[in-house]
Amino acid sequence: METFRVKSEKFTYPVVTGKESWRLFRDVPQGRYSSIFVVTERSLWRRWSKRFIEESGLRTAPALFVPSGEPSKSLQMLERLGGELLRKGADRRSCLVLFGGGVVGDLGAFLASVYMRGVDCIHVPTTLLAQVDSAVGGKTAVNLGEMKNLIGTFYPGRMVLSDPRVLSTLRWRDFRSGLYEVVKHAILDGRSLFKLLETSTHTLRPGAADALESIVARAVKVKVDIVNRDEREANERMTLNLGHTFGHALEEATDYSRFVHGEAVAWGLLAAARLGRRLGLLPATDSDQICALVRRLGPLPSIQDLPPAKILRLLPQDKKAVGGTIRWVIPEKIGKVRVVTGVPRCEVLAAFREIQAMK
Ligand code: GLY
């Protein structure tokens, strides 16, 4: 088990990774909360609640169920859950345990941040993507229509408990979706995590808790270090957007129905690697290495039918754009990225065509 500390504006909180990390829930002082509620998905809770309750020592925790899938990240769902909490007697000293993936974590933490002007929450992420990324760093959000994560707050949980054993029931696609975010962290971090991924691709699978334990810890450390330097995304945290500029455009162009998030990010990583090379910022060897690792992790839904002009039109809508100027996160080598503006449209178009032509 490993513990990483995140220094947030108001308090410092632990992110604990590793088998049996749910037991750390027992460190929550008895009597701190008047009541504890679990926000989760029904099938997930059915599968894991017994073990979670046993290990965490949680005695009574009524569950609030959220339908799985992105449409649950909505203001309507927030209203529904807020009403349910009130009817069930949640007050200002209640705590929400967010037991699930990115949807439960983002929505539940947003709910925690606004219910009675803020109650505590504890993240128990159950997908690889949530363990290495979305549950760490305090971003909360719901979507507004087509715009993902448009409404949200910075509101960290009191702790994050990530046990790799819960990943064993992930669908392969969702598992790979998280792996692409790990690749992103490896590109930001340096050669050693990147190499570890290159050499362990064949052993990485949802049930490989031992192999995953160290990968999750390494990836979490990358994120924790960045968040500790720039919690509010004034500068460096923006680099976590690597692969997301194209990624978000691809998701939007396909009505969020073709890709799971990490798959769209994977195409975005390929595009960023090709763009970096085209701009003369990234050596060809590093660009090829990034592309090879992403491709080796598994098949991606096709992008061949997507009109490049449509994708390019959607790029400036990326949330990180300021005044319509896209801020590209471009790798300069494995272990170093740069935020670049003013990238010529023709280069962006050419990079997209290059990834469309990839076999
Ligand atoms: N997922 C990007 C961030 O937390 O900043």
Side-chain angles (χ1 to χ4, degrees):
M1 224 175 334
E2 287 201 56
T3 301
F4 305 92
R5 302 220 157 255
V6 182
K7 269 195 231 83
S8 165
E9 236 167 49
K10 293 207 177 82
F11 54 83
T12 297
Y13 61 94
V15 180
V16 189
T17 61
K19 293 191 284 297
E20 313 242 340
S21 57
W22 292 348
R23 293 195 184 276
L24 276 281
F25 195 88
R26 291 168 184 264
D27 288 356
V28 175
Q30 295 284 321
R32 177 188 277 178
Y33 299 118
S34 58
S35 51
I36 296 179
F37 295 84
V38 179
V39 182
T40 187
E41 287 174 16
R42 203 175 283 280
S43 59
L44 193 64
W45 194 235
R46 203 178 295 130
R47 171 66 182 83
W48 290 103
S49 57
K50 188 164 175 287
R51 182 182 269 186
F52 180 70
I53 287 167
E54 204 174 284
E55 294 186 3
S56 66
L58 198 59
R59 278 189 295 271
T60 48
L64 280 69
F65 295 111
V66 173
S68 70
E70 198 63 25
S72 283
K73 267 176 65 172
S74 67
L75 286 170
Q76 289 86 335
M77 189 58 67
L78 183 83
E79 191 177 351
R80 200 204 88 189
L81 293 177
E84 211 175 320
L85 278 180
L86 187 65
R87 281 191 301 282
K88 289 185 160 144
D91 60 28
R92 281 160 205 259
R93 283 207 308 123
S94 295
C95 173
L96 308 187
V97 172
L98 313 175
F99 190 94
V103 170
V104 164
D106 286 7
L107 167 74
F110 186 44
L111 174 67
S113 75
V114 291
Y115 185 76
M116 296 202 177
R117 299 208 173 85
V119 295
D120 280 358
C121 64
I122 291 174
H123 286 269
V124 186
T126 61
T127 63
L128 184 55
L129 193 143
Q131 292 194 352
V132 299
D133 195 13
S134 60
V136 179
K139 282 189 179 176
T140 86
V142 292
N143 307 328
L144 196 66
E146 288 299 284
M147 289 304 282
K148 264 189 94 162
N149 300 336
L150 193 71
I151 299 195
T153 51
F154 280 98
Y155 195 78
R158 287 279 166 177
M159 46 167 71
V160 182
L161 304 176
S162 294
D163 187 326
R165 291 172 308 174
V166 76
L167 306 177
S168 64
T169 47
L170 280 183
R171 291 187 311 161
W172 262 100
R173 259 186 101 181
D174 293 324
F175 178 67
R176 283 201 302 270
S177 176
L179 280 182
Y180 297 121
E181 294 280 359
V182 178
V183 173
K184 177 192 82 176
H185 287 190
I187 297 169
L188 298 176
D189 185 52
R191 299 222 168 250
S192 103
L193 178 54
F194 197 89
K195 206 162 214 48
L196 179 62
L197 286 173
E198 283 182 321
T199 52
S200 54
T201 2
H202 57 290
T203 55
L204 292 175
R205 54 184 172 78
D210 289 329
L212 287 171
E213 179 155 347
S214 68
I215 298 259
V216 168
R218 300 278 301 268
V220 163
K221 184 174 180 335
V222 176
K223 175 122 191 208
V224 165
D225 287 347
I226 291 175
V227 171
N228 274 334
R229 290 191 292 262
D230 179 26
E231 186 184 23
R232 289 285 177 144
E233 200 170 313
N235 295 295
E236 191 187 351
R237 187 162 178 175
M238 218 181 296
T239 61
L240 289 167
N241 204 39
L242 174 63
H244 284 62
T245 308
F246 262 117
H248 285 150
L250 291 173
E251 285 182 289
E252 204 176 331
T254 51
D255 295 326
Y256 296 92
S257 59
R258 184 179 302 188
F259 308 98
V260 291
H261 179 65
E263 291 170 341
V265 170
W267 279 118
L269 293 175
L270 294 169
R274 289 305 181 109
L275 192 53
R277 179 177 172 171
R278 294 194 64 85
L279 296 174
L281 295 172
L282 178 69
T285 45
D286 287 42
S287 173
D288 290 347
Q289 242 182 306
I290 293 171
C291 293
L293 177 57
V294 171
R295 302 297 290 171
R296 191 163 350 127
L297 290 178
L300 293 170
S302 171
I303 56 167
Q304 272 179 354
D305 60 319
L306 300 177
K310 178 174 177 182
I311 302 300
L312 263 63
R313 241 193 340 270
L314 290 169
L315 291 176
Q317 291 184 24
D318 186 282
K319 272 201 318 312
K320 311 284 158 86
V322 175
T325 302
I326 302 172
R327 292 191 279 181
W328 291 94
V329 183
I330 303 289
E332 291 185 295
K333 63 177 185 177
I334 294 167
K336 189 158 185 258
V337 297
R338 186 199 288 191
V339 178
V340 183
T341 54
V343 175
R345 189 180 184 281
C346 58
E347 295 297 349
V348 176
L349 183 62
F352 184 67
R353 290 214 162 105
E354 281 182 29
I355 63 167
Q356 270 192 312
M358 280 180 182
K359 291 277 176 282

